[in-house]
Amino acid sequence: SVQPATVRPGETTRLTLAGKGLAGGVRVATRTPGASVRVEKAEEGQALVDPTLPADCPLGPTGLWVATADGPT
């Protein structure tokens, strides 16, 4: 699961990812042009990530892909 479920364009938002296999390392990516995602912390059951969307990012769904040491999740 991901909390919160929304991110505002032009801001960095702390997201909490909950799931299995996060302690072995996490990589997070998005295809949104100009966006960046930084993994702050990953431990068993939870990872903290900080995505930043560009200010001119259109409103609507944006994909976020997560991969652990075991592969994509």
Side-chain angles (χ1 to χ4, degrees):
S1 69
V2 178
Q3 292 296 326
T6 60
V7 176
R8 291 182 181 203
E11 298 181 10
T12 299
T13 303
R14 171 67 47 94
L15 298 180
T16 301
L17 310 178
K20 296 180 180 180
L22 299 173
V26 175
R27 292 188 326 184
V28 183
T30 181
R31 287 188 184 172
T32 303
S36 64
V37 183
R38 182 173 65 96
V39 176
E40 177 64 29
K41 179 180 178 182
E43 57 190 22
E44 190 54 46
Q46 176 177 288
L48 303 177
V49 299
D50 298 332
T52 303
L53 299 178
D56 61 350
C57 182
L59 298 179
T62 298
L64 193 68
W65 288 268
V66 180
T68 67
D70 295 329
T73 61

